[in-house]
Amino acid sequence: SDIDSAELIALAKEACCSGINNIAITGIFSTTNPTQEIEASNIFKSVNSNFNISMSHKVGGIGLLERENTNIINASLLDKCK
């Protein structure tokens, strides 16, 4: 399905206001087609270019649960690796 850009922009703004810097983006079929994850990342970056963003198609295998968990852990560590 299509990405709801307005909703993602609102979430990105809320993250900024809450002091959240690390974002984990996971799409169900992103290992075969990462387009939605990349689009979501671009939307977040358009709100705050300093967001640390982890996309599941870059960090995990094909299993959704394992990829989602790996992605969340990866995102939580991104600012510590800079």
Side-chain angles (χ1 to χ4, degrees), residues 24-51:
I25 299 173
T26 302
I28 294 175
F29 300 110
S30 64
T31 54
T32 57
N33 184 0
T35 305
Q36 286 185 331
E37 285 189 356
I38 294 166
E39 184 179 348
S41 174
N42 290 337
I43 291 169
F44 271 85
K45 286 283 191 181
S46 74
V47 172
N48 181 355
S49 62
N50 293 317
F51 276 137

Side-chain angles (χ1 to χ4, degrees), residues 4-6 8 21 28 35 39 44 47 62 65-66 69 74:
D4 186 341
S5 298
L8 288 180
N21 296 315
I28 294 175
T35 305
E39 184 179 348
F44 271 85
V47 172
I62 60 171
L65 185 60
E66 295 84 358
N69 289 335
N74 188 65

